[in-house]
Amino acid sequence: MATRLFSFAGGEQGVWRVERVVAICGETLPQVSRFSMLEGDAGSDAIWRLRGITSNERYVERAEKDALVAKQEGLGRQQASCAALIPIRKSAAWWALTQDERRAIFEAKSEHIQIGMRYLPAIARRLHHCRDLGENEPFDFLTWFEFAPADASAFDKMLAALRATPEWGFVEREVEVRLVME
Amino acid sequence: MATRLFSFAGGEQGVWRVERVVAICGETLPQVSRFSMLEGDAGSDAIWRLRGITSNERYVERAEKDALVAKQEGLGRQQASCAALIPIRKSAAWWALTQDERRAIFEAKSEHIQIGMRYLPAIARRLHHCRDLGENEPFDFLTWFEFAPADASAFDKMLAALRATPEWGFVEREVEVRLVME
């Protein structure tokens, strides 16, 4: 079976150089100089370490999934020497919504999937869930993005578009960790 | 914050006497005489121990949720001296479906919510998720049920109705642990 659990470790080691760690909303993460994405339950010797697990689709419907799969590219592309880790925690009010209410905010009102689609295949992405790893996880999601340096401004536009949506009204903590492969 | 993580421990101790442990599909769990439901990450000294975490609704829509909340009763009722733990694992084919495909099987084709609703308030229930606790969990869900002895045959009918649905075609492991408070 493919690895589902990933660890994201900030510290003084790792193939990624940390360009910046910025709190968008709520508490930041400690500043570090290097970063690693690791398979499994690793990296516990880092200055900070976040864990997330890939899982089944929570909102995406079949037609959207097929469109995404047709357009997206995988992680690890040679030219994708820029990356970002964006840990997010949503509010208790979000998690108390029913499935139809969350889907309505996520896509009908916020076009989360459609916004992401506009930036494919330039921006590759993998979503990791943390909320159900345990009771005391600091974030609900860790999204990992990879892109070429020439697409960094497109990536910034995508983040700005997402952060302007009604869905982001439910985000109570968000940190942006920007990385360069060196 | 209320406890979300629960441990279900089978062994030689616990307030519940084990009536039977039966494999409905796939591998069984070891036979034990006593059972405990514990808050948090406990019970590691038992013969077997399963863990699950309560989480947000995955399929239930607002009108369904309101109808459930209006009719259901909580755990721990004096007369509810019978209980069952039903651990279930679904197939990879289930988890590869998109949200709309899973919802269509779950409710439009299988009436999972409607079947459960018929047995409220007699059968009280709490669902725990395991699939995203880690990579190597033996089950995807642990559902805990409590009911009075007079409602045991209604509980059996409910299980039979659910097991006859198209949704159960995706169940690849199911164990039924039946318990009496003594």
Side-chain angles (χ1 to χ4, degrees):
Chain A
M1 187 160 34
T3 299
R4 291 177 56 216
L5 185 69
F6 292 87
S7 299
F8 301 86
E12 289 164 6
Q13 292 178 43
V15 295
W16 296 94
R17 176 173 68 77
V18 179
E19 260 188 344
R20 57 185 184 275
V21 177
V22 185
I24 306 302
C25 176
E27 195 189 346
T28 191
L29 287 166
Q31 298 296 321
V32 288
S33 60
R34 309 292 300 187
F35 178 93
S36 301
M37 175 170 65
L38 305 159
E39 292 191 357
D41 204 353
S44 56
D45 55 343
I47 293 174
W48 51 258
R49 193 267 297 250
L50 301 171
R51 298 179 317 136
I53 192 161
T54 60
S55 189
N56 58 291
E57 309 287 358
R58 300 294 208 264
Y59 301 107
V60 168
E61 300 183 352
R62 174 52 57 194
E64 294 160 345
K65 175 80 176 179
D66 291 345
L68 288 167
V69 167
K71 219 176 154 193
Q72 75 197 0
E73 291 180 0
L75 300 181
R77 295 170 298 181
Q78 182 73 37
Q79 76 275 21
S81 59
C82 296
L85 177 73
I86 305 204
I88 280 182
R89 188 173 66 223
K90 284 180 171 170
S91 66
W94 173 262
W95 295 113
L97 296 174
T98 53
Q99 178 67 28
D100 56 326
E101 291 170 331
R102 279 181 280 101
R103 164 75 198 189
I105 294 166
F106 182 87
E107 193 59 18
K109 294 186 189 163
S110 300
E111 302 190 337
H112 189 134
I113 299 163
Q114 292 310 313
I115 290 170
M117 189 92 75
R118 276 183 232 146
Y119 297 91
L120 295 179
I123 315 293
R125 163 189 180 280
R126 189 170 63 209
L127 176 64
H128 313 79
H129 297 261
C130 330
R131 178 173 152 79
D132 293 344
L133 278 178
E135 288 183 315
N136 300 308
E137 292 298 317
F139 296 98
D140 293 329
F141 307 101
L142 309 175
T143 316
W144 174 256
F145 300 94
E146 292 180 4
F147 45 92
D151 292 314
S153 66
F155 180 67
D156 288 328
K157 276 184 207 162
M158 185 187 76
L159 295 183
L162 288 167
R163 288 173 183 154
T165 62
E167 185 192 349
W168 250 252
F170 293 91
V171 172
E172 62 178 27
R173 187 176 180 196
E174 178 176 8
V175 181
E176 186 178 323
V177 181
R178 295 288 284 262
L179 306 159
V180 178
M181 176 70 79
E182 282 184 354
Chain B
M1 188 161 34
T3 299
R4 292 178 55 216
L5 186 69
F6 292 87
S7 298
F8 301 87
E12 291 164 4
Q13 292 178 41
V15 295
W16 296 94
R17 177 173 67 77
V18 178
E19 260 188 345
R20 56 186 184 275
V21 177
V22 185
I24 306 302
C25 175
E27 195 190 346
T28 192
L29 286 165
Q31 299 295 320
V32 288
S33 60
R34 308 292 300 188
F35 178 93
S36 303
M37 175 171 65
L38 305 159
E39 292 191 358
D41 204 353
S44 56
D45 55 344
I47 292 174
W48 51 258
R49 194 265 298 250
L50 301 172
R51 297 181 317 136
I53 192 162
T54 61
S55 188
N56 58 293
E57 309 286 359
R58 300 295 209 264
Y59 300 108
V60 168
E61 300 183 352
R62 174 51 58 193
E64 294 160 345
K65 174 81 177 180
D66 291 345
L68 288 167
V69 167
K71 218 176 156 195
Q72 74 196 4
E73 291 180 0
L75 300 181
R77 294 169 299 180
Q78 183 72 35
Q79 75 276 21
S81 60
C82 294
L85 177 73
I86 305 203
I88 280 182
R89 188 174 65 225
K90 284 181 169 169
S91 66
W94 173 262
W95 295 113
L97 296 174
T98 53
Q99 177 67 26
D100 55 327
E101 291 170 331
R102 279 181 281 102
R103 163 75 199 190
I105 295 165
F106 182 87
E107 193 58 18
K109 295 186 189 163
S110 301
E111 302 191 336
H112 189 134
I113 298 163
Q114 292 309 313
I115 291 170
M117 188 92 74
R118 277 183 232 146
Y119 296 91
L120 294 179
I123 315 294
R125 161 189 182 280
R126 187 171 63 210
L127 175 64
H128 312 79
H129 297 259
C130 331
R131 179 172 151 79
D132 292 344
L133 278 178
E135 287 182 316
N136 300 308
E137 293 298 316
F139 295 99
D140 293 330
F141 308 102
L142 308 176
T143 315
W144 174 256
F145 301 94
E146 292 179 5
F147 47 92
D151 293 313
S153 66
F155 180 66
D156 289 328
K157 277 185 206 161
M158 185 187 76
L159 295 183
L162 286 166
R163 288 172 184 154
T165 61
E167 184 192 349
W168 250 252
F170 293 92
V171 171
E172 62 176 28
R173 187 177 181 195
E174 178 176 8
V175 182
E176 185 177 324
V177 181
R178 294 289 283 262
L179 305 160
V180 178
M181 175 70 78
E182 285 187 347

